[in-house]
Amino acid sequence: MSYIRNILNSVIIFPQSKEAREQLKRLRVRDVLNQSTPDDLREWESNLKILNNSKLIFETTKMLHEKINDAFLLYLKKHYPDDERLVKLQDIKRGMSYSQQTV
């Protein structure tokens, strides 16, 4: 978890996305502590949308994107195991793993 925190802290934050970043960190901590609930889904989705739509400059764009997707993937697996997005996120994760192995 500290790895994710370090990556998130390395981001240059614009005002409109600072709150979304903090909310995503809070949601991830809740999930790690087994305090997340299925009702958190709306918060995950809205904050991910803000982050994805913001014009952010990342020092480690690819790494941050992977870690946020990993966190959301774990959340969906726990609370929504039948969610159709799981397949897409798992495919993305496998693709990233494959490309890292071939580089």
Side-chain angles (χ1 to χ4, degrees):
M1 190 167 66
S2 63
Y3 184 67
I4 293 172
R5 183 175 42 245
N6 290 340
I7 292 170
L8 288 172
N9 287 336
S10 71
V11 177
I12 299 171
I13 301 299
F14 289 86
Q16 69 271 20
S17 61
K18 184 176 182 178
E19 181 65 26
R21 182 183 74 123
E22 293 301 320
Q23 291 300 321
L24 289 167
K25 285 169 54 174
R26 183 186 60 76
L27 288 165
R28 178 63 185 134
V29 169
R30 283 175 41 94
D31 193 46
V32 167
L33 296 175
N34 290 319
Q35 296 173 351
S36 60
T37 68
D39 294 333
D40 293 336
L41 181 61
R42 276 190 234 130
E43 280 189 77
W44 273 101
E45 291 172 333
S46 64
N47 287 300
L48 285 168
K49 184 177 180 179
I50 290 167
L51 208 60
N52 289 333
N53 290 336
S54 297
K55 294 180 179 175
L56 297 176
I57 301 170
F58 297 101
E59 292 177 16
T60 54
T61 304
K62 186 176 179 182
M63 217 180 326
L64 176 66
H65 184 70
E66 289 174 17
K67 295 303 174 188
I68 289 174
N69 279 337
D70 286 349
F72 188 53
L73 178 64
L74 291 173
Y75 170 80
L76 284 177
K77 281 182 178 179
K78 184 184 291 183
H79 296 290
Y80 294 92
D82 297 325
D83 192 297
E84 67 222 22
R85 292 172 287 190
L86 279 172
V87 173
K88 181 180 177 186
L89 289 168
Q90 288 170 332
D91 287 346
I92 291 169
K93 184 173 176 65
R94 271 189 234 110
M96 288 178 182
S97 296
Y98 177 75
S99 67
Q100 290 170 352
Q101 293 172 2
T102 59
V103 172

